[in-house]
Amino acid sequence: MSRRSLAVVALINLFIPAMPAAAESTTIAIGAVQGTAIRSPLEGKTVAIQGVVTADLRAGLGGVFVQDAGDGDARSSDALFVQGMDDAALAVGDRVEVVGTVAETDAGGAATLTTLRAQQWARRATRQPLPVRQLQAAPADWEALEGEHLRIAVPLTVAGSDRLGRYGELLSAFDGRLWQPSEIAVPGTAAHARVAADNARRRLLLDDGSSQRNPAKVAYLDAGAEVRSGMQLHDVEGIVDQRYDGGYRLHLSRLLALPKPMRAPAPKLDADLHIAAFNLENLFNGDGRGGGFPTKRGARTPAEYQAQLRKLVTTINALQADVAALMELENDGYGADSSIAQLVAALNATPGKPADWRFVHAGKGPGTHPIRVGLIYRAARLTPVGPPVVLEGGPFAEHSRAPLAQAFRAGQGPAFVVVANHFKSKGCTQASGDDADRGDGQGC
């Protein structure tokens, strides 16, 4: 289930009557509502609970988190997600009593989030200290912490930021970085399985408390903050939640304190040529004449396309590459309106740079998928040798990003071959024998 397509459950009755101040109900511990299993033992029952509001996420997620002092059982969580208090004048730190129905809200896959759907509520106190649990290591069971306010008392390491701009998510890990299991263990072995299991145990997704896609600002980051994989994060604090993909996440309750990013010095190599490879992230140019937006995979507007193109030109120029292998290029031919032709034209229009970029013309494709690979090179530095070659059969069928190879020569030097290959995206529907996916974690 897509993280951002999950609809927040709405209540038909948006007006929640407040209980009279003197009519205090018989409340039960939140831990009794959560229970020690994945689903609440009181699902479908009407209960009364009392606790402190630790996070008001009504604007972002449609509810608040409430936590009590605990029931003494470490196997059960002491916090709940409460829906249906949309019009209530609440603040973090309010101690509230809520009567409502216990439900299990879909959290992706087989996972659910134990939820209280409020029918009545009353404020019993204000400006209460927030209950918080200190965490010294990755827990054995996140379910026992569902909804709780946590402070991570050990450093977390940034393990990935690819979903930060899109969803406000940042992947982190206890005890250092997360490595692909096949990077450090032989696929299909017990060691490979142990690495995968340890990754799952140590990972923690940091989130912004919102279902908004492409937020203008990530709530837990200062403007201009620079996040890099490998950074260590200290004193991370937030609310444990489970939604969208079945996994657990921490909605951060305060700004991240980021260390100053350290850039490693560029390596100095005794080399005659620079060869680069990078993913264009779906470079689609509409019809090539300013129309045809939104595109099938890339930019939604001409302005988005121009912004993407400017960034790519800046990046390629900074790499000082003589030849570059490209991935996720629109598969729209090689004419003047094609995506690759206009990328090369934009490179050649860079002020102060030689207009010597050319592209390898494969005739068609390669492949028939909406995206393809491509090769561009500087004609002042390299000369193509012979025609390009593609592989479009076997493991390189329609969804497998057929590779493109071209031989080059620099001056009177020996010929060498560059292959553009989208290694990560391989459907493998036509692979067989040794090429097939063996289910060992390595793909095909």
Side-chain angles (χ1 to χ4, degrees):
M1 178 179 294
S2 170
R3 170 194 152 100
R4 301 297 165 175
S5 65
L6 181 65
V8 177
V9 177
L11 296 180
I12 296 175
N13 182 8
L14 294 180
F15 176 71
I16 306 299
M19 292 183 290
E24 195 155 341
S25 304
T26 302
T27 61
I28 62 174
I30 290 177
V33 179
Q34 284 280 8
T36 58
I38 294 176
R39 302 181 76 94
S40 170
L42 301 178
E43 185 177 357
K45 306 290 186 183
T46 298
V47 302
I49 59 97
Q50 192 169 142
V52 175
V53 176
T54 57
D56 183 356
L57 301 180
R58 288 176 292 180
L61 298 177
V64 301
F65 284 91
V66 176
Q67 186 168 338
D68 65 14
D71 60 356
D73 188 345
R75 299 172 301 166
S76 63
S77 167
D78 299 320
L80 265 178
F81 184 60
V82 181
Q83 286 183 321
M85 302 177 73
D86 300 4
D87 296 336
L90 288 176
V92 171
D94 285 352
R95 181 164 58 85
V96 294
E97 182 176 337
V98 185
V99 175
T101 305
V102 180
E104 293 291 339
T105 302
D106 184 4
T112 60
L113 176 70
T114 302
T115 303
L116 186 65
R117 295 179 180 168
Q119 299 166 358
Q120 289 183 310
W121 73 278
R123 182 184 294 104
R124 299 304 182 192
T126 60
R127 300 182 180 179
Q128 300 297 292
L130 301 187
V132 60
R133 186 192 296 260
Q134 300 278 347
L135 205 60
Q136 301 287 342
D141 180 17
W142 282 103
E143 179 67 24
L145 302 174
E146 183 182 83
E148 289 196 9
H149 178 209
L150 297 186
R151 181 176 295 125
I152 312 294
V154 293
L156 294 176
T157 301
V158 177
S161 59
D162 58 306
R163 292 165 67 90
L164 183 60
R166 179 65 61 89
Y167 299 128
E169 294 177 351
L170 192 62
L171 181 61
S172 71
F174 292 84
D175 302 320
R177 300 181 75 159
L178 302 174
W179 294 96
Q180 288 290 345
S182 56
E183 183 76 12
I184 55 180
V186 176
T189 64
H192 186 276
R194 284 195 298 271
V195 174
D198 189 56
N199 281 352
R201 178 188 67 84
R202 294 191 293 117
R203 77 187 298 276
L204 176 61
L205 200 62
L206 308 181
D207 206 350
D208 63 355
S210 171
S211 60
Q212 182 180 356
R213 183 167 172 162
N214 299 322
K217 180 184 183 302
V218 178
Y220 55 82
L221 293 177
D222 278 321
E226 188 173 350
V227 182
R228 288 178 173 272
S229 291
M231 275 184 172
Q232 286 204 329
L233 309 174
H234 296 270
D235 300 318
V236 175
E237 193 171 313
I239 307 295
V240 178
D241 190 24
Q242 186 180 28
R243 65 184 68 223
Y244 306 124
D245 56 6
Y248 291 93
R249 61 191 64 226
L250 195 71
H251 293 298
L252 300 190
S253 56
R254 63 182 186 182
L255 290 174
L256 281 181
L258 297 177
K260 183 178 180 180
M262 302 296 291
R263 289 181 180 267
K268 295 182 179 180
L269 305 176
D270 182 17
D272 297 320
L273 294 171
H274 289 178
I275 301 174
F278 63 98
N279 194 313
L280 304 180
E281 299 290 350
N282 293 306
L283 181 62
F284 280 59
N285 69 338
D287 60 9
R289 298 182 179 91
F293 293 93
T295 60
K296 183 178 293 187
R297 293 225 175 170
R300 294 170 296 183
T301 65
E304 284 188 359
Y305 166 67
Q306 290 298 330
Q308 182 182 16
L309 188 63
R310 285 193 299 270
K311 289 180 179 181
L312 290 173
V313 168
T314 300
T315 303
I316 294 170
N317 283 327
L319 289 172
Q320 298 182 354
D322 299 304
V323 57
L326 311 176
M327 280 67 73
E328 293 196 9
L329 179 71
E330 183 179 6
N331 195 352
D332 61 347
Y334 295 88
D337 294 332
S338 67
S339 186
I340 193 169
Q342 293 191 351
L343 172 62
V344 166
L347 284 166
N348 285 334
T350 305
K353 297 288 184 179
D356 60 351
W357 282 100
R358 305 290 185 269
F359 58 81
V360 171
H361 196 314
K364 63 179 183 66
T368 57
H369 198 268
I371 60 174
R372 68 180 185 205
V373 299
L375 285 167
I376 59 175
Y377 65 96
R378 289 184 55 204
R381 301 280 289 155
L382 297 174
T383 302
V385 179
V389 177
V390 300
L391 278 176
E392 295 181 323
F396 303 105
E398 179 185 359
H399 295 291
S400 297
R401 319 295 195 259
L404 168 67
Q406 175 67 58
F408 294 97
R409 177 176 285 117
Q412 300 301 313
F416 63 95
V417 177
V418 177
V419 183
N421 193 351
H422 196 169
F423 281 110
K424 188 174 180 181
S425 295
K426 294 210 168 9
C428 295
T429 54
Q430 305 299 319
S432 61
D434 288 343
D435 289 331
D437 187 345
R438 302 179 185 182
D440 58 3
Q442 190 173 227
C444 80

